[in-house]
Amino acid sequence: AEFFSYFWKSVCRSPLGMSRGQILDEDISASSQWSDSTAAKYGRLDCEEGDGAWCPEIAGEPENMNEFLQIDLRSLHFITLVGTQGRHAGGIGNEFAQTYKIKYSRDGSRWISWRNRQGKEVIEGNRNAYDIVLKDLEPPIIARFVRFMPVIDHSMNVCMRVELYGCEWLDGLVSYNSPLGQQMTLNGHHIYLNDSVYDGAMGYSMTEGLGQLTDGMCGLDDFTHSHVYNVWPGYDYVGWTNESFLSGYVEIMFEFDRTRNFTTMKVHCNNMFSRRVKTFQKVVCYFRSELDWEATPISFSPVMDDVNPSARFVTVSLYNHMASAIKCQYYFSDIWMMFSEITFQSDTAMYNTTLAPPKTGPPIRDDPTHKVDDSNTRILIGCLVAIIFILVVIIVIILWRQVWQKMLEKVSRRMLDDELTASLSIQSETFTYNNNNSPSSVSSEQESNSTYERIFPLGPDYQEPSRLVRKLPEFSQTSEDTGEFQNVQEGVPHYAEADIVNLQGVTGGNTYAVPALTMDLLSGKDVAVEEFPRKLLTFKEKLGEGQFGEVHLCEAEGMQDFMDEDFSFDVIENQTVLVAVKMLRADANKNARNDFLKEIKIMSRLKGPNIIRLLAVCMSSDPLCMITEYMENGDLNQFLSRHEPEGMIALLSNAPTVSYSNLHHMASQIASGMKYLSSLNFVHRDLATRNCLVGKNYTIKIADFGMSRNLYSGDYYRIQGRAVLPIRWMSWESILLGKFTTSSDVWAFGVTLWEMLTFCKEQPYSQLSDEQVIENTGEFFRDQRRQIYLPQPPMCPDPVYKLMLSCWNRNTKERPSFQEIHQTLLDCKP
Ligand code: ADE
C-alpha cells in the first residue's frame, strides 16, 4: 500500500504539455484577456511568447474572483502537481498571482472547487514574476478541465503562466456513489470515517463524485493513524458499521467514461480485527452495459484472514465483463468495514510504464487464487526492462570510452616514439634505452625516469604534471635559472613508456617499475619458479582482498622441495608450512592476467633477504596463484599501530611495546631491502610501512600490495578518477614532473622512517588536505623556505631526523643513496 501511494506521487508527475506545447493553443482559453498579446495561449509556463503571459482584463469589483485561465486536457487526467509563474517578459513585466484557486471539471459542465485536505481553497502562488512555484495537489485532481483562478485584489495587476503535472487517468472511473462514511467511537474518541475529499454531492449519500477511494492514498494498518500530517483519526478510510445496513452489505456504484472490458477490481481494506474491522466476506457485482443492468452478477468471497491485521488490497476478478457502470455490494464480515482505495483494471487501461503507471497495488496477500498480480508484474517487467536498457547504455558508454582512450594512447605513444627518436638524434649519448627495449648506450645514472604521461597515458581527464608545473607562477623564471630543472627537462635520461613495467598486482598494485634492461633480462629467460600442486594447499584464512583477487593464508605440504638452498625457511622435513597465496580472480580481465604474469616474472627474480620471496606458482589451471612466504605479523603499518614505544604510555595502557632498538633494526632492514632493489635498478614507487611485512623477530620484507586495499585508500590521491597516487610519500618531482627514480624511492624511505618513528599513529601531513599536500609540493619545488617538512617525532634522535631531512632534499643528487642510508643507520645503531 505504501508502494502504491508512493508510486503515484513519484511517477505520475510529468508535465502535461503547457510548456512543451503538447496542449494546443485551442485548448487553452480564458475568461478574458488584457490584450491580444496576453491571450490565454501565452499562459504557458516557462514560455516568453506574446507579451510573456496570460493577463486577464480586470474589470468590475475588486473581489471579482471569476477570472480564469482554462486548460482542456481532452481526456481525464490524474493531476498531482501544478506550477505557476508571473509575467517577466525579459525584465519588462512584473505581474504575478500571489494567490490563486483551482476549479476542475470532468464533463465540462459541473465545476468543482479544489480544496486541500484541511479544506483550504486558496493556494499560495508567486512572489516574483520569474520564479516557477510548484504546488503538490493534496488531494490530487481527476479531471479533464482545469481552471486557474488568480485571486485579484487590485493591489497589483495579475498575469500567469501555468503548467499541470500528472498522467492520464486510465481507470476511466468518473464517479462513485456510496453511502456516507460513518463515525466510530473508540475509547471515548471519535474516529471520522467519512469521505472528506469527495467532490460530488453529499446528501443522504454521496453521488457523482470521486474522493478518498480514488486519491491514490492507501490507509495504514492502524486506521486511527494517517500518512497525512495534521488530520483527524480515521482520515484515510471510508468506513461503515453493519448496524446501519440491515441488508448486511454496503453498495457502491461506479460510473465509467465509456464501456470497458473489466479484468479486475482491487479494494484496499483495513483488517484490524482486534477493533472489529475486517475485509468484506463477499462481494457481488452487477454490470451495466448500454442502459440495462445485467441480470447475473458475479460473486467472489475472499479467504478471511484472522491472523494478519495488515491492511491489504483484495483483488476481485471481473472476468472480462463489458460495462460502463458497475454496482458492487460488499458484505460485512464483522462490525466494521473500511476501504481506502478502489481501483479498476480494464482492457484499455494499459499505462505506459515509464510515464503513467496503472493504478494498481502490490500483489494481494489474502487471495490464494490471485497470488500473482498481472498488472504489477507488467510494471515490474517494464521497470526491469528500463533498468536493463540503462545498464546496457552505461556499459556501451564505458566500452566506448575505453576504446577511445586506447586510440588516444596509441596515437600518443606514436607521438612519443617520434619525439624520442628526434631527441636521440640530438642528444647523442645521454639516453639509456631506446624504444626497442635494448640498451643503445649505457648511462651513468641507472634510474627509471618514467613520467605520468607515460605511466597513465593521456587519460582524457588527466591533468599532465607539466601543466601542474606551468601553473606555478615562478616556473618559467625558475626553469631558466635552476640548472637542475633544466636537467630534468632535457638532460636526464628517460625511458619510453613501453620500457616501464607498470604492474597491477591482484590487489590492484603497481609492483616495481622495472627499467627496460632488467625486463630484457627477464624476458630472455624462463620464469625461474616452479609449479606447485594445488591440491597440496589447504586454505586457513583470508589475509586480504583487492580488485583482482584475494590473498589467503594456506598450509602447504612438501614446500621444502620448492625452496632454494639460499633461502632459509625453518621447516622441519615433511611438515606443512604456512604460506601466503595470492590468487587472481578467475573472471579477471586479460590485462589483469597479463599483469599477474609479469608480476610473477619480476618477483621470481627478486631474491633478497628483505624482499618478499615468491616460492612457487599454480599456473596450470585457474585461478592463477602466486605462493609467497607468510609473514606472521602482517604489514608494518598495522603492526606498529597496535604497539607503543617503551615508556609511560605503554606502562599505563598495558599496550605491547616495540623497543627503539627493534624499531631501528626494522628500519635498517627496509634500507637493506631497498639497497638490493636499487642495485637492480628497480624503482618501487610505493615504499611505505603499508607495503612492508613483519615476520618473526622483527624481520622485515618489502612487498607491494598495490593501491586498492580499502584499509589504505586514504593514503592515495585520485587524479580525477584515473591515476591513483600516494602523494604523501611522493617526492616533489614525482608529483610535479611524474619522475619516479631511486631518488624518489629515497624520499619515500624518509617518509616511511617518519611513519615508523611515530608508530604509524598518524598519516604524514595529517593536518593537510590532499590539495594542500600538492601545494606544499609546489613549495618544495620553489624552495623559498615555505615548504613544510614532516616534524621530528618525539622519540626520533637528531641523527635519524637529519637522515630523514636529507631524503627530502630538493636536489635529487643530494639525497643519500640506499647504500648510504643503510650505512648511516648502522652507524647510529643504539
Ligand atoms: N598478506 C598478504 N601477503 C602476506 C604475506 N606474505 N604474509 C602475511 N600477510 C600477508
Side-chain angles (χ1 to χ4, degrees), residues 473-504:
E474 299 85 344
F475 170 67
S476 50
Q477 171 228 324
T478 328
S479 63
E480 278 155 29
D481 294 352
T482 56
E484 201 217 89
F485 193 75
Q486 290 224 328
N487 202 13
V488 166
Q489 289 285 291
E490 295 165 19
V492 178
H494 58 271
Y495 305 101
E497 184 202 347
D499 298 333
I500 304 299
V501 181
N502 174 31
L503 295 184
Q504 282 267 318

Side-chain angles (χ1 to χ4, degrees), residues 507 542-545 550-553 578-582 612-613 627-635 638 693-695 701 703 705 709:
T507 42
K542 192 159 113 180
L543 294 174
E545 187 171 10
E550 292 181 348
V551 182
H552 292 173
L553 170 64
L578 290 175
V579 289
V581 180
K582 188 168 170 179
I612 197 81
R613 179 73 69 103
I627 305 173
T628 63
E629 58 187 311
Y630 172 61
M631 303 290 282
E632 40 277 272
N633 283 309
D635 78 54
Q638 284 180 287
L693 283 168
V694 187
K701 305 219 176 189
F705 294 110
R709 283 183 299 170

Side-chain angles (χ1 to χ4, degrees), residues 278-315:
K278 269 204 193 158
T279 59
F280 54 90
Q281 50 137 315
K282 181 170 88 163
V283 62
V284 177
C285 292
Y286 295 83
F287 298 87
R288 190 189 71 196
S289 53
E290 311 301 317
L291 286 174
D292 300 327
W293 289 99
E294 280 176 19
T296 43
I298 61 130
S299 166
F300 170 69
S301 300
V303 176
M304 299 314 295
D305 182 351
D306 295 333
V307 181
N308 180 357
S310 319
R312 78 274 316 275
F313 271 103
V314 178
T315 300

